[in-house]
């Protein structure tokens, strides 16, 4: 259907909200409580716009588009309202960007930048720092929370782990785990969905703290190393250190950005000091480092010698459910076409 | 899986059996729980009170290893009440009368006696399944890791065919595959009886086709040995060389002491892996492989979706991709395999695999494709056997009979031990224990014991116990929890220092040679008082 955004004719789909249609057409409306996965909430009121024929300002995340709707996202009235909302949010917590982990990856910062807010005009509210450092992988800082509710919606309706909720009232309102337990003592299974959904630096990945700025990391899309779901994820890599420093879920099939504790947080093993790094041959009962040349020559000659003497069926190979398709194919081709036996199998039976 | 993962959130009924989904496939469990929020009925069938039961309308706690009796009882009840989809049976299956007759041996009353599920509960489950518009069956190793694993699966297939649930959206028969690429390893022909794309090695046409494609005069046509046979034959000289890639055999095969004997009997043992583990000490040669995150390639997930995996960091030392190792070894044995890159290997495979023929690395740059995908224009296949049109033609019922576990409990070994995985670790834990923080949450194995048994043995959570089977013993702390049913204990095989596979039995399903990891007999002795465990560990047992 046809809509007009800031006087420009745009294409929108039936059932879309004004915010979604604007985003699809490249028009930025600051928004904080809306996330495609958790849906419209209509809480933060940052995404207000004017719609011709509708009274007052409308939250664009909750208003569905209609044919020929005329939407204004950049009038002074709109900007004034947006500025006030963001100004109040900035004043109500400790949103100091300098040392914040999410600097450069923060939706509140983006909104303030876009609206040109350098300093909050109100005096800062007395918000307690209230850090929850009790969990192994997820770090929470209440003073950076804007109570958008995305973490709570994510925990309860996206991954349905049902741990987070709002607790207390009024000025004391905060995100709590179970019956307001520290996260590390609650029933939280550390899937990290809340951290991925948090628009500010209030819920972050603890192990990534202090590892560098987001823009310094190279990102690589890949498939998870653990179970058979095959979750799609993005690796954030510190190239100088040759280390993966963070994992986030990609919002595509099959996992829609959701991960489990292993997929999101068990990523350091490739750079572990314990890795096997060099070929080794057992000499006098001890494994001794050798060159690839020596290891390959020795292995090939032993295979040749034993198979020539006993026939190819004394050779058996294990492929693996842990390695790539290409490597498994290579192993079956080697076993069948080079050694000449069908004795190839893998751990599907275990 | 016949169906796709995300379809689960639209399912009307989800029947989970032998799958500790929240721990072993957490992301799939999210979709199941979402379905519950949308009004689906979740039935969890498990001898253990697993976490998923908190979202279930019904938890059916059948006894370990009685799946066939239980399911056949349900099918009997479904026929009896006229819930079977007669039109589907007529149009889409070959021998419906065979199953109709066979389940007459399992009236619910008799099935109930075997499986320990009250008759009323069985009737309730049959009614939910029978009256549902569609139902999805999800299972994992709790079904396959029994001496009757193959028959367990066939019985579930029977159930789904009787209900007309194969070939439908948000239904089907869905094994949740345990490893990131166990589906792919099968598809790629790392199996003794088939080439990649399941072309039988003993089919002369397939064998000739592959010999020509690979440029060899001929290929062996006798199917090879399955893994347990390979190992067993080490003891009588039938296997002299074992070339083992990415498999911590000592820790993951049943009856660890026996596995070690088999490996020691080999003449030449090559281990290619990323970490030293319990298996590497027995190797004559150790080759360092690249790890996940260090090479370009593909994995195929549980729903048959082929997805890219990419190099993000440089491998340590001299670790290499395994296709390179195969290329180099083949060269020394007088054959050029033609492998110059991961993508070259893929293309070599793709041209002789019809299901994979339409999948190139380029096409799956952003989002994976589900096989069968026979042409470059094909969109991939979300679910198999659409509209009950089975790949083989018509659906075939296999008659199954319940048999008891290989090693039932007795006076000396009165407890049934079942094994599995925990959320916090993965398999032999080389990856999770070499990542930061996981040992802080769950750093040692615990033996889960029912409060009923614990009371008898005067054991409380945190006490040190010795678990002994006919094959060995391990010492670990006890976790007294209602997750375990009376008479059943449970532990994982993640921890080298107290691994469940010291105890498990090396008795196998006759068809697949999958071992009965889920049932062996043990005895438990208390050997010392212990401190209560920290909150972190018990977090899994949610309030």
């Amino acid at each position: 259907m046809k809509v007009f955004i800031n006087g420009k004719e745009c294409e929108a789909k039936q059932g879309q909200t004004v915010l979604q249609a604007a985003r699809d057409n490249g028009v930025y409306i600051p928004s904080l409580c809306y996330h495609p996965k958790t849906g419209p909430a209509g809480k933060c009121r940052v995404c207000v716009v004017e719609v011709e024929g509708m009274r007052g300002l409308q939250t664009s995340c909750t208003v569905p588009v209609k044919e020929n709707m005329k939407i204004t996202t950049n009038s002074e009235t709109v900007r004034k309202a947006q500025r006030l909302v963001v100004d109040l949010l900035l004043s109500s917590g400790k949103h100091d960007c300098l040392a914040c982990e999410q600097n450069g990856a923060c939706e509140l910062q983006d909104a303030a930048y876009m609206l040109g807010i350098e300093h909050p005009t109100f005096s800062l509210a007395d918000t307690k720092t209230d850090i929850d450092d009790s969990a192994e992988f997820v770090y929470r800082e209440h003073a950076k929370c804007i109570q958008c509710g995305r973490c709570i919606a994510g925990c309860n309706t996206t991954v349905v782990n049902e741990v987070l909720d709002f607790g207390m009232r009024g000025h004391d309102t905060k995100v709590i785990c179970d019956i307001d337990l520290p996260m590390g003592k609650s029933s939280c299974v550390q899937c990290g969905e809340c951290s991925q959904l948090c628009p500010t630096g209030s819920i972050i990945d603890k192990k990534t703290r202090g590892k560098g700025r987001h823009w310094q990391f190279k990102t690589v899309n890949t498939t998870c190393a653990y179970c058979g779901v095959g979750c799609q994820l993005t690796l954030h890599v510190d190239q100088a250190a040759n280390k993966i420093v963070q994992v986030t879920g990609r919002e595509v099939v099959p996992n829609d950005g959701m991960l489990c504790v292993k997929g999101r947080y068990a990523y350091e093993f490739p750079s572990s000091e314990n890795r096997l790094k060099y070929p080794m041959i057992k000499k006098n009962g001890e494994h001794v480092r050798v060159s690839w040349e020596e290891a390959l020559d020795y292995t090939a000659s032993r295979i040749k010698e034993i198979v020539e003497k006993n026939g190819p069926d004394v050779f058996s190979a294990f492929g693996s459910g842990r390695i790539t398709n290409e490597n498994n194919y290579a192993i079956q081709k080697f076993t069948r076409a080079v050694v000449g036996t069908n004795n190839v199998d893998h751990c599907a039976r275990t | 899986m016949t169906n796709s993962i995300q379809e689960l959130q639209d399912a009307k009924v989800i029947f989970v059996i032998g799958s500790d989904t929240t721990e072993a496939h957490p992301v799939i469990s999210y979709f199941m729980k979402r379905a519950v929020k949308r009004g689906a009925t979740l039935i969890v069938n498990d001898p253990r009170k697993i976490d998923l039961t908190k979202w279930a309308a019904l938890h059916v706690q059948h006894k370990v290893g009685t799946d066939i009796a239980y399911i056949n009882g349900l099918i009997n009840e479904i026929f009896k009440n006229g819930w079977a989809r007669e039109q589907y049976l007529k149009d889409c299956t070959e021998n419906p009368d065979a199953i109709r007759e066979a389940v007459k041996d399992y009236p619910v009353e008799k099935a109930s006696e075997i499986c320990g599920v009250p008759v009323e509960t069985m009737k309730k489950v049959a009614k939910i399944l029978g009256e549902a518009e569609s139902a999805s069956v999800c299972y994992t190793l709790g079904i396959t890791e029994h001496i009757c694993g193959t028959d367990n699966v066939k019985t579930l297939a029977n159930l789904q065919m009787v209900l007309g649930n194969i070939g439908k959206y948000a239904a089907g028969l869905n094994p949740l595959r345990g490893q990131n690429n166990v589906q792919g390893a099968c598809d790629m022909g790392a199996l003794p009886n088939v080439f990649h794309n399941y072309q039988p090695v003993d089919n002369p046409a397939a064998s000739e086709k592959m010999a020509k494609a690979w440029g060899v005069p001929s290929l062996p046509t006798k199917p090879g040995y399955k893994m347990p046979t390979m190992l067993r034959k080490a003891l009588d000289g039938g296997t002299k060389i074992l070339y083992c890639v990415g498999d911590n055999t000592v820790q993951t095969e049943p009856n660890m002491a026996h596995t070690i004997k088999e490996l020691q009997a080999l003449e030449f043992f090559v281990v290619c892996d990323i970490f030293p583990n319990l298996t590497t000490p027995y190797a004559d040669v150790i080759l360092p492989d690249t790890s996940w995150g260090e090479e370009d390639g593909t994995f195929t997930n549980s729903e048959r979706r082929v997805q890219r995996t990419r190099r993000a960091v440089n491998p340590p030392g001299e670790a290499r991709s395994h296709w390179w190792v195969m290329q180099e070894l083949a060269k020394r044995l007088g054959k050029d395999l033609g492998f110059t890159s991961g993508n070259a290997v893929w293309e070599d495979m793709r041209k002789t695999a019809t299901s994979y023929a339409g999948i190139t690395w380029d096409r799956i740059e952003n989002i994976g494709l589900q096989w069968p995908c026979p042409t470059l224009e094909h969109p991939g296949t979300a679910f198999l056997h659409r509209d009950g049109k089975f790949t083989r033609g018509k659906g075939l019922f296999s008659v199954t009979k319940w048999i008891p576990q290989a090693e039932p409990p007795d006076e000396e070994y009165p407890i049934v031990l079942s094994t599995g995985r925990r959320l916090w670790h993965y398999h032999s834990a080389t990856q999770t224990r070499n990542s930061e923080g996981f040992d802080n949450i769950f750093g040692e194995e615990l033996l889960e014991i029912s409060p009923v048994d614990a009371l008898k043995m005067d054991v409380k959570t945190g006490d040190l116990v010795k678990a002994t089977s006919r094959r060995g013993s391990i010492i670990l702390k006890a976790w007294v929890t209602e997750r375990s049913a009376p008479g059943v204990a449970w532990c994982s095989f993640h921890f080298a220092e107290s691994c469940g596979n010291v105890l498990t039995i090396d008795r196998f399903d006759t068809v697949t040679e999958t071992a009965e990891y889920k049932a062996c007999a043990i005895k438990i002795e208390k050997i010392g008082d212990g401190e209560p465990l920290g909150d972190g560990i018990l977090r899994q047992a949610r309030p």
Side-chain angles (χ1 to χ4, degrees), chain B residues 151-225:
Chain B
D151 280 351
N152 281 349
V153 174
K154 285 178 174 169
T155 313
L156 288 173
N158 291 349
L159 173 71
Q160 283 299 64
M161 288 196 290
V162 166
L163 292 168
N165 276 331
I166 308 263
K168 258 191 203 170
Y169 179 76
L173 187 61
N174 301 298
L176 314 179
R177 313 259 6 205
Q179 298 160 340
N180 54 348
N181 202 35
V182 69
Q183 182 65 51
C186 296
D187 299 346
M188 291 302 113
L191 290 174
N193 56 336
V194 289
F195 296 108
H196 53 296
N197 202 33
Y198 305 97
Q199 309 171 77
V201 294
D202 52 2
N203 174 331
S207 182
E208 250 173 66
K209 171 187 158 189
M210 286 320 304
K212 203 172 148 210
W214 286 346
V216 289
S218 68
L219 286 165
T221 51
K222 187 182 71 147
Y225 308 135

Side-chain angles (χ1 to χ4, degrees), chain B residues 79-224:
Chain B
F79 272 118
K80 210 170 97 185
N81 288 283
W83 290 318
R85 303 300 196 269
E86 293 297 340
Q87 195 62 43
Y88 183 96
L89 290 177
K90 200 169 136 235
D91 297 344
C92 309
T93 67
E94 200 171 297
N95 53 341
D97 292 334
I99 190 71
R100 208 187 302 269
E101 279 307 307
V103 294
K104 284 187 181 152
D105 290 346
Y106 293 89
V108 278
E109 292 74 17
K110 185 182 157 195
S112 163
E113 256 173 51
I114 300 171
C115 70
V117 180
V119 170
E120 279 318 302
T121 309
M122 289 191 66
K123 286 186 172 173
K124 211 160 156 188
V125 175
K127 187 170 157 65
I128 294 171
L129 288 171
E131 293 183 346
E133 184 189 320
S134 64
S136 172
V137 168
C138 295
Y139 68 90
T140 314
L141 303 178
I143 280 296
T144 52
E145 287 182 347
H146 284 287
I147 47 166
C148 52
T150 306
D151 280 351
N152 281 349
V153 174
K154 285 178 174 169
T155 313
L156 288 173
N158 291 349
L159 173 71
Q160 283 299 64
M161 288 196 290
V162 166
L163 292 168
N165 276 331
I166 308 263
K168 258 191 203 170
Y169 179 76
L173 187 61
N174 301 298
L176 314 179
R177 313 259 6 205
Q179 298 160 340
N180 54 348
N181 202 35
V182 69
Q183 182 65 51
C186 296
D187 299 346
M188 291 302 113
L191 290 174
N193 56 336
V194 289
F195 296 108
H196 53 296
N197 202 33
Y198 305 97
Q199 309 171 77
V201 294
D202 52 2
N203 174 331
S207 182
E208 250 173 66
K209 171 187 158 189
M210 286 320 304
K212 203 172 148 210
W214 286 346
V216 289
S218 68
L219 286 165
T221 51
K222 187 182 71 147

Side-chain angles (χ1 to χ4, degrees), chain B residues 208-259:
Chain B
E208 250 173 66
K209 171 187 158 189
M210 286 320 304
K212 203 172 148 210
W214 286 346
V216 289
S218 68
L219 286 165
T221 51
K222 187 182 71 147
Y225 308 135
K226 298 183 186 86
M227 195 188 257
T229 304
M230 292 172 178
L231 289 169
R232 196 171 56 243
K233 283 192 172 284
L235 293 176
D236 65 16
T239 301
K240 292 187 189 299
I241 308 170
L242 184 59
Y243 189 93
C244 167
V245 185
D247 188 282
N248 185 356
T249 314
V250 170
Q251 197 170 336
T252 58
E253 290 297 309
N255 191 356
M256 190 186 285
H258 190 69
T259 306

Side-chain angles (χ1 to χ4, degrees), chain A residues 191-241:
Chain A
C191 75
E193 180 72 8
C194 53
S195 155
Q196 179 150 338
L197 288 174
C198 179
T200 72
S202 182
I203 306 185
I204 57 173
D205 295 336
K206 188 166 160 181
K207 291 199 289 188
T208 311
R209 289 182 72 219
K211 295 276 163 66
R213 294 303 197 177
H214 288 267
W215 57 83
Q216 296 173 315
F217 303 146
K218 181 178 83 166
T219 56
V220 179
N221 291 340
T222 193
T223 303
C224 180
Y226 291 96
C227 80
V229 179
C231 290
Q232 293 301 290
L233 37 87
T234 301
L235 308 178
H236 302 256
V237 181
D238 179 342
Q239 284 183 283

Side-chain angles (χ1 to χ4, degrees), chain A residues 2-5 18 51-52 54 63-71:
Chain A
K2 200 166 59 178
V3 297
F4 295 89
I5 305 179
V18 170
V51 178
E52 203 178 281
M54 291 176 89
V63 176
V65 287
K66 283 196 191 123
E67 185 75 44
N68 289 322
M69 195 180 237
K70 294 191 174 60
I71 302 146

Side-chain angles (χ1 to χ4, degrees), chain A residues 129-142 177 181-185 190 202 204-207 209, chain B residues 440 539:
Chain A
T129 308
D130 204 0
I131 287 172
D132 182 0
D133 189 19
S134 63
E136 199 62 41
F137 303 122
V138 178
Y139 181 92
R140 304 196 304 143
E141 188 173 354
H142 171 59
C177 300
L181 296 172
M183 186 179 256
K185 291 188 186 295
Q190 301 281 288
S202 182
I204 57 173
D205 295 336
K206 188 166 160 181
K207 291 199 289 188
R209 289 182 72 219
Chain B
N440 295 342
R539 196 180 315 151

Side-chain angles (χ1 to χ4, degrees), chain A residues 161 184-186 223 226 228-230 262 274-275 277 282 287 292 297 318 320-322 329 336 343 345, chain B residues 33 180 191 225 227 243 246 281 283 292 294 301-302 307-308 314 318 332 348 423 431 434 535 539:
Chain A
N161 282 329
K185 291 188 186 295
S186 76
T223 303
Y226 291 96
V229 179
K262 293 188 288 289
N274 300 331
R275 281 283 298 278
K277 295 176 191 152
K282 197 180 255 179
H287 285 124
W292 267 107
D297 286 345
F318 293 173
S320 175
R322 311 295 295 140
Y329 175 78
R336 294 188 159 117
N343 293 339
D345 202 3
Chain B
K33 292 187 283 182
N180 54 348
L191 290 174
Y225 308 135
M227 195 188 257
Y243 189 93
W292 168 87
E294 293 169 355
N301 80 350
S302 196
Q307 309 188 106
R308 280 298 313 275
N314 299 319
E318 295 173 8
R332 283 163 177 79
D348 189 59
L423 174 66
Q431 292 169 233
N434 278 301
D535 298 311
R539 196 180 315 151

Side-chain angles (χ1 to χ4, degrees), chain A residues 285-301:
Chain A
E286 297 249 332
H287 285 124
V288 186
R289 178 179 164 181
V290 296
S291 67
W292 267 107
E293 212 53 35
E294 184 180 343
L296 291 165
D297 286 345
Y298 177 67
T299 304
S301 70

